[in-house]
Amino acid sequence: MRKPNPYDAHVGARLRACRTLAGFSQERLGAAVSLSFQQIQKYEKGLNRIGASRLQQFAQILNVPPSYFFEDMPGIEQQPQARPEHAVVSEIEQDKSPVSRRQALELVRNFGKITDSTVRDRIFQLIKAAAASYSGKEEGEEDTAAAPESVES
């Protein structure tokens, strides 16, 4: 089996992250562009290169600019990210564990569906407190890059 081109693998990883965040299965995305889920898998693994017109289709379906797929690519000068949640996706993608990466993407996607700001804030505080207890910080301690106290959509 040949090794994927690093650029194709990067674009494929971005496709997978965006697809997951948008709540699409490989089957559903494939059906939207008349492809099998196996072809979507090959794209996501970087085994098959995604053509420009196909990339444009994915961008429209997933509601991202085509440039999203190239953001954070090693060796390419970076432009500002198109939407704030893409920064979250980029950070999640740095985690090399597929299970935790998928869980994090699902968490972000589902958290965004919560319309009650009080519930969102309480869930945010719960996760923040749990993370602090596992990282050895006291509950009152703040991370220097901590998120704001209230999260609004």
Side-chain angles (χ1 to χ4, degrees), residues 17-134:
C18 190
R19 174 187 57 77
T20 303
L21 190 60
F24 278 76
S25 67
Q26 289 176 332
E27 294 85 0
R28 183 174 166 208
L29 183 59
V33 294
S34 302
L35 293 174
S36 67
F37 77 91
Q38 292 96 334
Q39 182 61 46
I40 299 298
Q41 283 178 335
K42 289 178 182 179
Y43 283 153
E44 290 181 355
K45 290 178 182 178
L47 297 174
N48 286 7
R49 183 167 292 157
I50 305 172
S53 59
R54 183 73 70 197
L55 202 59
Q56 178 62 34
Q57 283 181 306
F58 289 142
Q60 287 179 324
I61 291 166
L62 298 170
N63 195 28
V64 294
S67 62
Y68 164 80
F69 298 106
F70 300 96
E71 290 173 358
D72 300 325
M73 186 176 291
I76 294 184
E77 187 176 322
Q78 298 301 306
Q79 299 294 320
Q81 292 184 332
R83 296 184 359 206
E85 61 268 26
H86 294 174
V88 174
V89 172
S90 295
E91 187 176 312
I92 292 168
E93 287 174 339
Q94 300 305 312
D95 184 353
K96 300 302 180 201
S97 167
V99 173
S100 63
R101 181 176 55 230
R102 180 173 177 86
Q103 286 174 335
L105 289 168
E106 289 287 330
L107 180 64
V108 170
R109 183 172 57 85
N110 288 310
F111 186 80
K113 292 179 181 177
I114 300 170
T115 57
D116 186 318
S117 63
T118 303
V119 172
R120 268 196 326 268
D121 189 53
R122 288 186 178 162
I123 291 171
F124 174 76
Q125 295 301 328
L126 172 69
I127 292 170
K128 190 171 154 184
S133 71
Y134 282 103

